[in-house]
């Protein structure tokens, strides 16, 4: 019998990475929030995923390097596991119920079951909320392998609860969890055999880089069976047999322990989601691109919603869904910039599309850039350092995807992710100063290649390259002869031509700008560059009307900025589309229009500014005279 009813603005079911983020976000909006979980806060990430696994990897790496100089080093894995538990407790201290309460978040430890669309029952209490967010997470996926349920197999949820690691272990599954733990445990002295059903481990990542990791594991002593399927398992006293089938033949692997690392399944059972009208299947809760479920006012985030079971994606979904639940403007989830990292040694970082995915979407117009770690000085300071950087760009030089195998790959892929998300052309990195020597210097090296290729893809450069190769008709070669002779300089001019100088008015005059070729001005004392100002024709408004009428009727000229006393237009030359900036300042005190015209880049339009000024002056005075005669 439910005796107590508590009401909240937002109730969050599941206190893992997604749920904690949602709770803190909602509390930040001063909402009354309750966070419900059958376990302690932190979820899989804190207790059995990110935190313990990365702690294990760090310890294993230290041991591995120490063994290079102390080959007979023995490791007490009970101490290792104790250190890992200490790290877990340190992280948990920042998300405990006491910390949540201090932040204005109620924590209820229990199993929540829906009784109505916006009401759940938890340990005899009825909790009602205007909005509910489901972040129930996921659990290890354990397939129905014959005999497996009768063995003492391990998962990532139980392995860190051991007193010490076994001497030998079979790991079933060559995804990120299986591969990371295989290398780490092997480095601590556990004899590891890894089994993967696909032809290679980490099947979702770039093949060439994965094969390098696979070879590194083999060199370190991990036994790997790929294209192998688990058939049955059996407990044999203190050991576990796993029968695998490969190439039509069965082989029995016998070790002290069996770790099942075959992915994760969504936690959707036991919450009576049907009573809330929430649709789901065995893989996930159904959500739209605002993280809304099929039930009004109910959202789902994190592993239970998918499609990416990653802590950083759970955080992203948690913030988005909570804001959508609170604010009137709904924000869509954008998976265009997904990224992840596998924490092997070396690390494998990934952002965006793979080469295969990019070719499927964009065809052969993509650009591929690769750079070996062997060409990075920082990498060469470390013995046996291996790695490659692979970047997939569109035809203009913007990032579609990247994959990095090497030390600090997780940090470098974060920089790539920033460049990709902010839509910065990769060529722009060529001029960004990086500390030397660092691993991220590789991005500058690739950026320089992209910069050059961007120049070579400029239409003018393509033209003179065709002229050099004899691919242009004779009449075209005459037109572009100067460009062909100028070589890459023309391309540089074309780039500069798109950069707008700092124009405008300052202290009652047109701003001073750096001297540019062929400039003319009514405010200069240089005889070779001086032209007279245009006279007012009546009031300033009348003069401005005549001037604008003249410019609008002038082919190739476009007005881009119009203010009370200032007007800026751009004129393009016909041959190369080079830009000239035309400025007009309405000087009321002198009753005249100050004028300046300057080419952004050099010699292609020699003398054109003075010639254009003379033509414009005649047209302006003609229009003014015509208006006065009416």
């Amino acid at each position: 019998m439910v005796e107590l009813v508590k009401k909240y603005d937002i109730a969050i079911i599941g206190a893992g990475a997604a749920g904690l983020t949602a709770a803190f976000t909602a509390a930040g909006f001063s909402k009354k929030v309750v966070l419900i979980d059958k376990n302690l806060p932190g979820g899989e990430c804190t207790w059995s995923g990110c935190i313990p696994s990365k702690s294990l990897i760090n310890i294993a790496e230290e041991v591995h390097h120490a063994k290079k100089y102390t080959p007979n080093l023995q490791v007490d894995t009970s101490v290792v596991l104790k250190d890992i538990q200490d790290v877990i407790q340190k992280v948990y201290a920042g998300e405990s119920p006491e910390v949540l309460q201090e932040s204005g978040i109620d924590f209820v430890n229990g199993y929540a079951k829906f009784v109505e669309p916006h009401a759940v029952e938890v340990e005899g209490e009825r909790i009602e909320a205007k909005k509910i967010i489901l972040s129930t997470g996921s659990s290890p996926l354990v397939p129905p392998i014959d005999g497996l349920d009768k063995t003492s197999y391990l998962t990532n949820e139980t392995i860190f609860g051991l007193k010490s690691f076994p001497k030998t272990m079979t790991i079933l599954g060559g995804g990120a969890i299986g591969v990371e733990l295989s290398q780490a445990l092997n480095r601590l002295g556990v004899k590891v055999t890894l089994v993967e059903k696909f032809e290679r481990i980490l099947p979702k990542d770039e093949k060439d880089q994965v094969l390098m990791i696979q070879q590194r594991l083999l060199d370190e002593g991990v036994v790997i069976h790929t294209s192998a399927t688990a058939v049955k398992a059996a407990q044999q006293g203190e050991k576990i047999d796993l029968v695998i089938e490969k190439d039509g033949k069965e082989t029995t692997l016998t070790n002290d322990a069996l770790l099942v690392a075959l992915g994760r399944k969504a936690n959707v059972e036991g919450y009576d989601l049907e009573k809330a009208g929430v649709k789901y299947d065995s893989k996930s809760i159904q959500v739209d691109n605002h993280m809304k479920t099929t039930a009004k006012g109910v959202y789902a985030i994190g592993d239970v919603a998918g499609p990416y079971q990653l802590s950083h994606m759970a955080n992203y979904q948690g913030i988005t869904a909570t804001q959508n639940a609170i604010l009137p403007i709904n924000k869509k989830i954008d998976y265009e910039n997904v990224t992840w990292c596998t924490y092997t040694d070396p690390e494998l970082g990934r952002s965006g599309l793979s080469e295969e995915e990019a070719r499927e979407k964009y065809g052969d117009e993509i650009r591929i850039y690769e750079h070996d770690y062997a060409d990075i000085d920082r990498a060469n300071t470390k013995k046996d350092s291996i790695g490659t950087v692979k970047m997939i760009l569109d035809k203009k030089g913007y990032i579609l995807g990247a994959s990095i195998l090497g030390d600090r790959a997780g940090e470098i892929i974060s920089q790539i992710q920033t460049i990709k998300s902010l839509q910065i052309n990769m060529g722009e990195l060529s001029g960004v100063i990086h500390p030397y020597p660092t691993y991220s210097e590789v991005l500058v090296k690739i950026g320089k290649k992209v910069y050059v290729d961007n120049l070579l893809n400029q239409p003018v450069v393509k033209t003179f390259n065709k002229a050099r190769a004899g691919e242009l008709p004779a009449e075209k070669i005459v037109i572009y002869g100067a460009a062909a002779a100028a070589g890459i300089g023309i391309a540089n001019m074309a780039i500069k031509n798109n950069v707008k100088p700092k124009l405008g008015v300052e202290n009652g005059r047109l701003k001073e700008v750096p001297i540019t070729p062929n400039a003319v001005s009514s405010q200069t004392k240089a005889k070779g560059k001086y032209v007279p100002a245009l006279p007012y024709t009546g009031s300033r408004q009348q003069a401005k009307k005549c001037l604008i009428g003249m410019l609008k009727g002038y082919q190739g000229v476009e007005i881009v900025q119009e203010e009370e006393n200032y007007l800026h237009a751009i004129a393009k030359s016909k041959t190369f589309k080079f830009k000239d900036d035309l400025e007009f300042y309405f000087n009321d005190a002198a009753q005249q229009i100050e004028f300046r015209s300057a080419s952004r880049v050099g010699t292609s339009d020699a003398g054109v500014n003075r010639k254009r000024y003379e033509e414009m002056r005649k047209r302006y005075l003609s229009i003014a005279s015509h208006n006065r005669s009416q």
Side-chain angles (χ1 to χ4, degrees):
M1 183 77 177
V2 178
E3 298 178 353
L4 185 63
V5 178
K6 291 184 177 180
K7 295 186 178 183
Y8 293 88
D9 295 316
I10 295 181
I12 301 162
I13 302 173
L20 284 167
T21 299
F24 282 113
T25 302
F29 280 96
S30 300
K31 296 298 180 181
K32 189 177 181 182
V33 184
V34 63
L35 184 60
I36 308 165
D37 200 307
K38 61 183 182 299
N39 299 312
L40 293 174
E44 190 262 348
C45 184
T46 298
W47 297 101
S48 59
C50 309
I51 301 305
S53 67
K54 276 46 181 185
S55 300
L56 173 65
I57 288 167
N58 289 339
I59 295 169
E61 186 172 3
E62 292 174 355
V63 169
H64 175 68
H65 292 312
K67 281 184 176 181
K68 291 180 180 179
Y69 307 101
T70 313
N72 297 321
L73 179 67
Q74 298 296 312
V75 179
D76 185 346
T77 60
S78 66
V79 178
V80 172
L81 282 160
K82 182 181 180 303
D83 284 351
I84 292 172
Q85 289 300 323
D86 289 345
V87 173
I88 290 173
Q89 290 300 321
K90 184 178 180 180
V91 172
Y92 172 65
E95 53 197 25
S96 66
E98 292 76 19
V99 171
L100 294 173
Q101 194 66 52
E102 289 174 3
S103 300
I105 302 166
D106 289 348
F107 177 72
V108 177
N109 192 196
Y111 213 116
K113 292 188 177 184
F114 278 96
V115 290
E116 291 178 14
H118 286 269
V120 296
E121 182 182 331
V122 186
E123 302 296 324
E125 287 186 349
R126 180 184 173 95
I127 293 175
E128 298 177 357
K130 298 173 185 176
K131 301 289 175 66
I132 294 179
I133 299 175
L134 300 170
S135 55
T136 53
S138 62
S139 303
L141 176 63
V142 181
I145 298 171
D146 184 23
L148 182 62
D149 58 340
K150 296 180 176 63
T151 68
S152 55
Y153 67 86
L154 299 167
T155 68
N156 71 300
E157 289 186 348
T158 56
I159 189 171
F160 296 109
L162 296 174
K163 297 298 183 183
S164 62
F165 290 124
K167 292 182 178 180
T168 64
M169 182 182 294
T170 303
I171 295 182
L172 183 57
I177 296 174
V179 172
E180 288 178 356
L181 294 182
S182 291
Q183 185 180 46
L185 292 170
N186 181 74
R187 288 180 165 187
L188 293 177
V190 180
K191 299 291 184 182
V192 175
T193 302
L194 179 63
V195 179
E196 168 57 47
K197 69 176 181 179
F198 292 107
E199 63 178 10
R200 58 185 171 89
I201 60 174
L202 302 173
K204 293 182 180 179
D205 288 291
E206 292 283 358
K207 182 177 181 180
D208 292 345
Q209 294 176 335
V210 167
L211 292 178
M212 291 174 71
I213 293 179
Q214 190 165 299
Q215 189 58 51
R216 170 62 67 88
L217 264 62
L218 290 169
D219 292 343
E220 291 184 7
V222 177
V223 177
I224 300 177
H225 295 280
T226 54
S227 301
T229 305
V231 177
K232 59 182 176 180
Q235 188 81 42
Q236 301 293 348
E238 297 296 318
K239 296 185 180 293
I240 298 177
D241 289 345
L242 181 69
V243 180
I244 61 172
E245 183 180 310
K246 181 176 180 178
D247 299 328
K249 298 180 181 179
E250 289 190 353
T251 302
T252 301
L253 307 175
T254 303
N255 284 305
D256 297 331
L258 170 63
L259 173 67
V260 178
L262 293 171
R264 304 185 66 77
K265 64 177 181 179
N267 292 335
V268 293
E269 300 295 337
Y271 300 96
D272 290 343
L273 297 176
E274 298 85 356
K275 292 182 180 179
V278 175
K279 290 185 179 179
Y280 66 94
D281 57 27
S282 60
K283 295 181 179 179
S284 65
I285 289 176
Q286 183 179 323
V287 294
D288 64 10
N289 55 13
H290 297 101
M291 306 311 297
K292 294 179 180 178
T293 69
T294 52
K296 186 177 181 180
V298 180
Y299 299 76
I301 56 176
D303 284 7
V304 76
Y308 299 97
Q309 294 181 329
L310 301 164
S311 292
H312 50 278
M313 294 306 294
N315 291 332
Y316 169 57
Q317 291 177 341
I319 293 171
T320 304
T322 307
Q323 289 178 342
N324 288 344
I326 295 171
L327 301 176
I329 300 175
N330 280 342
K331 182 180 179 181
K332 291 183 178 180
I333 286 286
D334 181 7
Y335 295 125
E336 187 70 24
N337 295 307
V338 175
T339 185
W340 66 81
C341 185
T342 302
Y343 296 93
T344 47
D345 180 14
E347 295 176 355
L348 180 58
R350 167 81 178 273
S351 173
L353 303 177
S354 65
E355 179 180 351
E356 182 179 350
E357 290 168 343
R359 289 197 185 281
E360 286 181 8
K361 190 171 182 178
Y362 297 98
D364 292 331
E365 290 188 336
I366 61 173
R367 292 154 59 179
I368 307 296
Y369 294 85
E370 296 188 70
H371 200 94
D372 289 337
Y373 259 48
D375 296 325
I376 307 174
D377 289 346
R378 177 60 189 274
N380 286 326
T381 64
K382 180 180 178 181
K383 187 179 179 182
D384 301 326
S385 179
I386 62 171
T388 62
V389 178
K390 184 174 187 177
M391 301 198 65
I392 301 99
L393 312 183
D394 66 12
K395 62 182 180 180
K396 293 184 179 180
Y398 292 92
I399 300 172
L400 296 174
S403 186
I404 302 177
L405 171 68
D407 292 330
R408 313 290 174 84
E411 312 304 325
I412 303 172
I413 206 71
S414 297
Q415 188 173 344
I416 290 175
Q417 180 77 346
T418 301
I419 297 165
K420 183 177 184 294
S421 299
L422 297 179
Q423 296 182 323
I424 298 171
N425 193 288
M426 189 64 192
E428 294 186 32
L429 254 67
S430 63
V432 177
I433 300 172
H434 281 60
Y436 172 89
T438 58
Y439 291 100
S440 60
E441 188 187 6
V442 68
L443 300 182
V444 178
K445 292 179 180 290
I446 293 177
K448 288 178 179 178
K449 295 178 184 177
V450 176
Y451 176 73
V452 172
D453 286 347
N454 285 350
L455 292 179
L456 295 176
N457 281 331
Q458 291 286 329
V460 65
V461 181
K462 285 184 176 181
T463 301
F464 71 68
N465 280 341
K466 286 182 179 181
R468 283 175 172 172
E471 297 176 9
L472 281 182
E475 61 271 19
K476 291 286 186 180
I477 295 176
V478 173
I479 295 174
Y480 291 99
I488 201 69
I490 297 294
N492 284 322
M493 288 164 59
I495 294 294
K496 294 175 184 176
N497 184 252
N498 286 312
V499 179
K500 178 185 174 182
K502 295 180 179 178
L503 307 174
V505 178
E506 192 172 74
N507 298 324
R509 293 175 59 88
L510 293 173
K511 282 184 180 178
E512 291 294 327
V513 295
I515 296 173
T516 55
N518 317 308
V520 294
S521 172
S522 63
Q523 295 182 328
T524 182
K525 294 180 181 179
K527 290 183 179 180
K529 294 183 180 293
Y530 175 78
V531 294
L534 303 175
Y536 269 23
T537 55
S539 66
R540 170 168 34 97
Q541 288 76 15
Q542 290 171 324
K544 191 173 185 180
K545 183 178 180 181
C546 292
L547 181 69
I548 291 174
M550 178 273 291
L551 291 174
K552 287 187 175 179
Y554 205 100
Q555 188 176 4
V557 174
E558 177 187 7
I559 298 172
V560 294
Q561 184 180 352
E562 180 184 347
E563 297 176 4
E564 185 178 357
N565 281 71
Y566 175 77
L567 192 145
H568 173 213
I570 291 178
K572 293 182 181 179
S573 59
K574 293 180 180 178
T575 306
F576 293 111
K577 304 298 183 185
F578 282 168
K579 296 174 182 176
D580 301 331
D581 293 289
L582 314 178
E583 292 178 276
F584 304 85
Y585 172 56
F586 296 84
N587 188 338
D588 290 340
Q591 288 289 292
Q592 63 186 22
I593 305 173
E594 305 293 351
F595 173 85
R596 180 168 58 202
S597 175
S599 304
R600 293 190 186 179
V601 296
T603 58
S604 65
D605 46 359
V608 73
N609 292 294
R610 182 173 292 278
K611 182 180 178 181
R612 185 187 291 116
Y613 163 78
E614 292 169 352
E615 293 175 353
M616 285 185 169
R617 181 181 178 87
K618 290 178 182 178
R619 293 191 185 192
Y620 167 79
L621 294 174
S622 175
I623 292 173
S625 175
H626 177 73
N627 287 349
R628 281 198 300 268
S629 66
Q630 287 184 333

